[in-house]
Amino acid sequence: MINTTNGMISTSSSSTANPQSPGLKTYFKTPEGRYKLHYEKTHLSGLLHSAHGKTVTQVTLAHLKDKPAPSTPTAPTSSFSASSGVRSAAARLLGAGNGSRALSFVGGNGGSKSLSGSSRIGSLGASSSSNSITNTNFDGKGTYLIFNAGDAIFISDLNSQDKDPIKSIHFSNSNPICHAFDQDAKDGHDLLIGLISGDVYSVSLRQQLQDVGKKLVGAQHYNKDSSVNSSRCTSIAWVPGGEGAFVVAHADGNLYVYEKNKDGAAESSFPVIKDQTQFSVAHARYSKSNPIARWHICQGSINSIAFSIDGTYLATVGRDGFLRVFDYSKEQLVCGGKSYYGALLCCAWRCSTFFYTVACCLLRLKSILFPQIPSLLFDIEYSKFLLNSIDAKYILTGGEDDLVQVWSMEDRKVVAWGEGHNSWVSGVAFDSYWSSPNSDGTGETVMYRFGSVGQDTQLLLWDLQKDEIVVPLRRCPPGGSPTYSAGSQSSHWDNVSPLGTLQPAPSMRDVPKISPLVAHRVHTEPLSGLIFTEESVLTVCREGHIKIWIRPGVVESQSSNSESMLSTSSKDKPLLSSKVGSSSYKQ
Amino acid sequence: MHQDAHEFLNFLLNELVDILEKEAEAAKADAAETSSPSEKTANGPKNPQANGVLKEPLVTWVHKNFQGILTNETRCLRCETVTARDETFFDLSLDIEQNSSITSCLKNFSSTETLNAEDKFFCDKCCSLQEAQKRMKIKKPPHILVIHLKRFKYIEQLGRYKKLSYRVVFPLELKLSNTMEDADSEYSLFAVVVHVGSGPNHGHYISLVKSHNHWLFFDDENVEMIDESAVQTFFGSAQEYSSNTDHGYILFYESLGASSKS
């Protein structure tokens, strides 16, 4: 069975992963097994126009669910932005080995509206009968990669072996540079796009997929003609649970809050920033106009922003080298600190799969079993649970000092530096799907897995043992006494800094160092980002090439899931297994 | 024949030192009774000048700004004796790798290297050639750190020099952590000499200079103000064959003063 599957993998990778670049391997080893290059995605580079300035490709994962009936109220899941894997992660918690089936069962019983498992076969029939994506009946369900390159946004089907995008959207007067997707967006506009010109659009991803043209359709336009801010957009994010609110970071150190249901025509104006060095928040004078608020965060560019999963905190990193963590609703600085040196380029929150999964399951169960209970009541209890349990303790950052920084929200300071990149660190992410091999629930040796990518073209994987980051590094300078007492097991080798202050750059000897578990050269070009999905790790380079590295365990589970499929041709066949089905229904 | 900017920089600094020394000499001869104050500082006999001036070394403004001290530590693997030798420098010449950073090049520069086989070390204690470990440490970081990227490399197979167009990223701020001083010394980038051209024998030089918080772009008689973010267009090419031939060649970092300040 495993052999069969391996056969399938190798065929697909031999057709798509031709070694155009000798010296690059199509797999890398980790203690848990081999990650194999599964698919590659790219764009037609000949069509690229960079007349509006150099861009760096970013990638967003978008999971489109069943086309919702217009009247159906959406389950209150909008607080989650991690899109893929929710279904199967939840199912795994329900105790079934074959996740998707277990969940289909639950969904089927409850007549669920938001579960995708139960109605998949139906939609497969529909999509196999219509070969063209221009069909308006095309419901677009699936997982997509949205990425920018040159003057275009490209959309690829994550689970098809097709290297080329299924859709490209060209922008005539500026280049797209950042994007974000919210799978639980209410009124259809789920995709945000920020441009070099500072302009911002919100659109419906499904609508773009249904359209034949190469232009954005049905877009809402914000900061039109740079009327509010003319500096480039650098990072964009939906506010988790924010009912259509989103934030856009700009290269001039400002961040704007928008609400998509507000009238885009009336543009807000804000007072002149008195002190460029100080954090300040200004609200729009008129409640109907967008943006609704401006946060002046720092001098120089904001390079990346990230919300904690529940939307409580907003982290920003920028040109000045500072990580800043804000309480989003209070609009207050909670903590932050400076890099070792140079700008910070990326940041990411830790989110615990376990609690996330429990939370998702509860939500699902609630909507199935007690659809009559008003959401609000449940939501309060639920949010309490979420706030208590979510492990939003750590933030990763990466930057121009070649270091991956682990920031602790408890200690409000850097607790570890990851040394291993030979150039700037351009992407960081926790692998929330990874579970520690010795996590038997005792909590003694909690381990976190995270990854980073850099301009050195490498993907690094790291294991962070909790012990490792609470024990300070002890240094014995030659001829001197140890700086820290050797017997101290305290998690604070310093005092916790007061709330709302920024830490200066730590000294090299004061921060514990960790080394990567795996370092693998994955592309020929400098990398710009990575995403962990349940089944794979995605790496993307600045020029817009994406590689999908399938996890070691996934191959086996796929094979047990879909023997029938694998024994015959995988093409043009309605697939019964939901997991594989989701991966190739478009063929 | 294309001239090398790094060679010119060395020539210029050494020539300046020569001129300043001659001036100081002349001043001394002219007014023997009133010795020029502060310009002449005894530096101890252990510190001969790199340019071979062995007589009482004069500390000129060139030295004050550009000179740093490297320690070359060699540890004999047989007797474990560590031999340390100090050298002064005006700039650091770094080997470069594709898709790397200055930080990484500096790390390689001071990484431990094993001397063995053909390249053994003569240990004074063992009185014989021995395997040894060698590393370079920065003993005294200079006020102005000049970093020269070895982009022109002799390729033996080709029998000639080749320009390495590698992408080597340099941050606007830098710290040296491999120094022997207690605090990490912090630097800020203020100038870049860029070599334009695909080969070692022809091309053009341009430079970027930060002046009064603005970056200026100098190309012969053309001077333009550029955005700080434009500096990164001179990092180099991530792929070997690229239309981009403008590569950062010499970097000038200025110390941000008080070394203990973070």
Side-chain angles (χ1 to χ4, degrees):
Chain A
M1 199 151 48
I2 292 164
N3 286 341
T4 329
T5 315
N6 281 344
M8 182 193 82
I9 297 294
S10 66
T11 12
S12 64
S13 54
S14 66
S15 60
T16 58
N18 273 330
Q20 306 141 314
S21 37
L24 286 188
K25 286 188 181 150
T26 54
Y27 65 90
F28 59 90
K29 288 179 187 162
T30 65
E32 65 269 20
R34 279 183 179 201
Y35 283 69
K36 293 185 191 115
L37 181 61
H38 193 45
Y39 295 140
E40 284 183 76
K41 305 282 176 190
T42 189
H43 51 82
L44 305 159
S45 50
L47 297 175
L48 284 189
H49 304 285
S50 297
H52 311 294
K54 180 88 181 138
T55 62
V56 169
T57 297
Q58 296 294 333
V59 62
T60 294
L61 200 63
H63 186 70
L64 272 187
K65 296 185 290 194
D66 282 341
K67 200 173 191 171
S71 58
T72 311
T74 322
T77 51
S78 52
S79 52
F80 301 107
S81 57
S83 46
S84 78
V86 172
R87 177 185 64 236
S88 29
R92 197 167 47 188
L93 191 91
L94 292 172
N98 182 341
S100 325
R101 270 185 198 164
L103 204 78
S104 310
F105 172 74
V106 172
N109 265 352
S112 152
K113 55 207 178 285
S114 54
L115 280 177
S116 41
S118 56
S119 55
R120 174 157 278 134
I121 294 163
S123 73
L124 276 169
S127 68
S128 59
S129 65
S130 61
N131 292 322
S132 163
I133 60 155
T134 61
N135 191 329
T136 45
N137 290 326
F138 171 73
D139 89 335
K141 185 155 59 71
T143 306
Y144 298 94
L145 294 174
I146 298 159
F147 61 103
N148 62 290
D151 69 345
I153 287 277
F154 295 96
I155 304 168
S156 280
D157 184 343
L158 172 68
N159 296 308
S160 109
Q161 62 174 42
D162 231 348
K163 198 170 180 177
D164 295 327
I166 55 175
K167 169 89 189 172
S168 64
I169 301 162
H170 292 266
F171 292 78
S172 52
N173 36 19
S174 185
N175 290 354
I177 199 121
C178 53
H179 25 85
F181 181 80
D182 176 11
Q183 66 165 348
D184 298 306
K186 296 238 166 89
D187 59 8
H189 276 210
D190 45 15
L191 177 64
L192 299 169
I193 301 165
L195 272 59
I196 282 186
S197 60
D199 292 42
V200 176
Y201 294 99
S202 75
V203 292
S204 150
L205 174 62
R206 185 173 271 117
Q207 202 183 342
Q208 308 310 309
L209 289 168
Q210 287 166 345
D211 186 71
V212 268
K214 291 189 179 301
K215 296 281 170 215
L216 213 55
V217 285
Q220 177 84 13
H221 195 169
Y222 311 87
N223 191 23
K224 197 172 183 178
D225 305 319
S226 320
S227 54
V228 179
N229 190 307
S230 60
S231 72
R232 64 197 266 149
C233 296
T234 55
S235 192
I236 195 163
W238 290 102
V239 180
E243 309 285 326
F246 62 91
V247 297
V248 186
H250 286 264
D252 65 352
N254 286 312
L255 178 140
Y256 293 88
V257 183
Y258 293 84
E259 279 178 5
K260 72 175 174 185
N261 50 8
K262 288 252 160 75
D263 182 14
E267 299 269 4
S268 308
S269 62
F270 296 96
V272 175
I273 296 158
K274 286 182 192 113
D275 184 352
Q276 284 285 337
T277 62
Q278 292 298 312
F279 167 63
S280 63
V281 178
H283 295 265
R285 288 193 198 101
Y286 307 105
S287 59
K288 277 190 177 163
S289 60
N290 250 327
I292 58 166
R294 178 197 64 203
W295 294 33
H296 178 71
I297 292 183
C298 54
Q299 272 185 301
S301 178
I302 302 169
N303 290 331
S304 179
I305 59 173
F307 273 103
S308 65
I309 194 167
D310 59 353
T312 307
Y313 299 116
L314 172 64
T316 69
V317 293
R319 155 72 184 93
D320 63 359
F322 278 96
L323 161 73
R324 289 176 176 84
V325 183
F326 298 95
D327 184 314
Y328 178 70
S329 55
K330 289 185 187 152
E331 302 178 330
Q332 276 172 0
L333 180 71
V334 177
C335 60
K338 172 102 174 56
S339 66
Y340 182 44
Y341 57 80
L344 285 176
L345 304 171
C346 52
C347 61
W349 286 86
R350 152 92 194 151
C351 52
S352 157
T353 326
F354 177 73
F355 291 117
Y356 179 52
T357 309
V358 172
C360 291
C361 276
L362 285 176
L363 273 180
R364 298 300 191 217
L365 281 171
K366 178 254 165 188
S367 61
I368 292 159
L369 301 174
F370 311 106
Q372 70 280 12
I373 293 185
S375 276
L376 188 66
L377 189 72
F378 185 84
D379 285 355
I380 293 167
E381 286 309 306
Y382 161 75
S383 356
K384 273 188 202 159
F385 169 74
L386 208 60
L387 284 173
N388 290 329
S389 57
I390 267 189
D391 197 3
K393 281 179 196 154
Y394 296 108
I395 305 169
L396 297 173
T397 67
E400 296 180 357
D401 51 13
D402 298 6
L403 298 170
V404 177
Q405 195 167 234
V406 185
W407 178 270
S408 160
M409 285 299 287
E410 272 182 343
D411 300 315
R412 295 201 277 271
K413 69 175 173 198
V414 178
V415 289
W417 270 341
E419 283 184 309
H421 278 290
N422 296 323
S423 189
W424 296 355
V425 181
S426 43
V428 284
F430 274 105
D431 182 354
S432 51
Y433 301 97
W434 183 83
S435 54
S436 162
N438 53 353
S439 64
D440 47 5
T442 55
E444 283 301 315
T445 51
V446 181
M447 286 225 284
Y448 300 112
R449 165 68 60 85
F450 61 91
S452 60
V453 294
Q455 302 214 3
D456 57 1
T457 74
Q458 293 195 99
L459 165 69
L460 268 54
L461 295 180
W462 312 74
D463 276 348
L464 184 68
Q465 205 134 1
K466 232 175 177 174
D467 309 349
E468 245 177 322
I469 51 176
V470 295
V471 180
L473 182 83
R474 292 178 194 90
R475 189 184 69 120
C476 298
S481 58
T483 313
Y484 306 105
S485 75
S488 147
Q489 286 294 318
S490 158
S491 64
H492 315 291
W493 66 90
D494 236 338
N495 291 326
V496 174
S497 71
L499 211 63
T501 57
L502 293 172
Q503 300 283 299
S507 176
M508 191 37 110
R509 60 168 185 267
D510 290 342
V511 181
K513 313 293 184 305
I514 53 173
S515 299
L517 181 77
V518 173
H520 184 68
R521 203 173 148 243
V522 285
H523 290 243
T524 55
E525 295 275 350
L527 301 181
S528 56
L530 84 162
I531 297 176
F532 287 99
T533 74
E534 198 196 4
E535 288 158 10
S536 58
V537 185
L538 272 69
T539 54
V540 57
C541 78
R542 294 162 63 89
E543 311 298 317
H545 306 288
I546 300 165
K547 290 188 179 181
I548 298 152
W549 305 84
I550 203 145
R551 288 179 193 266
V554 172
V555 170
E556 282 83 348
S557 69
Q558 275 199 349
S559 69
S560 62
N561 239 350
S562 50
E563 298 155 1
S564 60
M565 188 277 287
L566 288 170
S567 60
T568 57
S569 160
S570 65
K571 285 200 171 177
D572 300 316
K573 232 184 136 125
L575 304 170
L576 292 169
S577 149
S578 56
K579 195 175 268 179
V580 174
S582 71
S583 50
S584 46
Y585 75 91
K586 243 194 59 54
Q587 277 293 329
Chain B
M1 164 84 188
H2 188 56
Q3 306 290 334
D4 182 65
H6 177 239
E7 208 177 305
F8 174 70
L9 176 70
N10 272 330
F11 172 81
L12 178 70
L13 292 178
N14 286 314
E15 202 64 16
L16 282 170
V17 169
D18 277 355
I19 294 167
L20 291 168
E21 276 170 349
K22 274 181 195 141
E23 271 180 5
E25 256 318 84
K28 206 162 82 179
D30 280 358
E33 71 280 6
T34 52
S35 60
S36 63
S38 74
E39 276 300 278
K40 199 175 70 171
T41 316
N43 214 4
K46 64 176 169 72
N47 230 348
Q49 291 295 306
N51 56 8
V53 184
L54 279 166
K55 60 188 173 194
E56 216 178 293
L58 180 77
V59 178
T60 65
W61 60 263
V62 176
H63 295 103
K64 281 182 188 159
N65 282 305
F66 293 94
Q67 185 172 277
I69 302 170
L70 277 173
T71 298
N72 191 340
E73 282 183 355
T74 316
R75 190 168 59 97
C76 172
L77 288 178
R78 184 159 172 265
C79 66
E80 301 278 313
T81 308
V82 177
T83 318
R85 197 163 43 85
D86 286 357
E87 308 172 14
T88 59
F89 65 91
F90 282 151
D91 62 82
L92 296 178
S93 286
L94 303 183
D95 284 309
I96 56 169
E97 281 169 15
Q98 178 57 294
N99 292 316
S100 64
S101 65
I102 284 296
T103 309
S104 159
C105 296
L106 281 167
K107 213 172 264 175
N108 289 340
F109 178 78
S110 48
S111 67
T112 306
E113 160 189 16
T114 307
L115 304 174
N116 56 14
E118 299 285 283
D119 192 28
K120 279 184 185 159
F121 164 74
F122 187 86
C123 177
D124 287 336
K125 202 171 174 194
C126 305
C127 287
S128 58
L129 286 172
Q130 292 297 337
E131 291 197 349
Q133 281 186 331
K134 187 186 123 171
R135 65 172 175 176
M136 297 281 252
K137 276 183 130 181
I138 294 167
K139 188 175 181 181
K140 182 186 162 287
H143 179 66
I144 293 187
L145 175 66
V146 181
I147 295 176
H148 161 233
L149 305 180
K150 292 190 188 167
R151 287 202 179 270
F152 301 108
K153 195 181 177 186
Y154 187 77
I155 309 288
E156 251 166 75
Q157 295 97 305
L158 300 174
R160 60 176 169 83
Y161 282 89
K162 180 180 185 253
K163 182 178 178 187
L164 304 177
S165 60
Y166 297 164
R167 181 180 157 92
V168 180
V169 297
F170 42 90
L172 298 168
E173 275 171 47
L174 184 70
K175 274 184 191 169
L176 292 178
S177 53
N178 49 359
T179 64
M180 292 167 80
E181 299 203 334
D182 226 25
D184 309 327
S185 37
E186 192 174 4
Y187 289 92
S188 169
L189 183 74
F190 72 96
V192 182
V193 173
V194 175
H195 180 259
V196 182
S198 51
N201 299 318
H202 45 83
H204 178 55
Y205 287 105
I206 54 178
S207 64
L208 315 172
V209 178
K210 192 177 181 179
S211 171
H212 299 93
N213 269 321
H214 290 287
W215 279 93
L216 300 173
F217 171 90
F218 292 83
D219 181 357
D220 290 339
E221 72 279 11
N222 298 319
V223 182
E224 284 171 41
M225 195 134 89
I226 57 165
D227 193 70
E228 180 187 81
S229 60
V231 171
Q232 56 183 290
T233 55
F234 302 101
F235 286 162
S237 322
Q239 301 275 11
E240 183 153 15
Y241 302 103
S242 161
S243 54
N244 168 22
T245 63
D246 307 2
H247 308 122
Y249 181 48
I250 307 174
L251 314 175
F252 293 80
Y253 283 93
E254 184 180 20
S255 173
L256 292 178
S259 54
S260 60
K261 202 189 146 227
S262 45

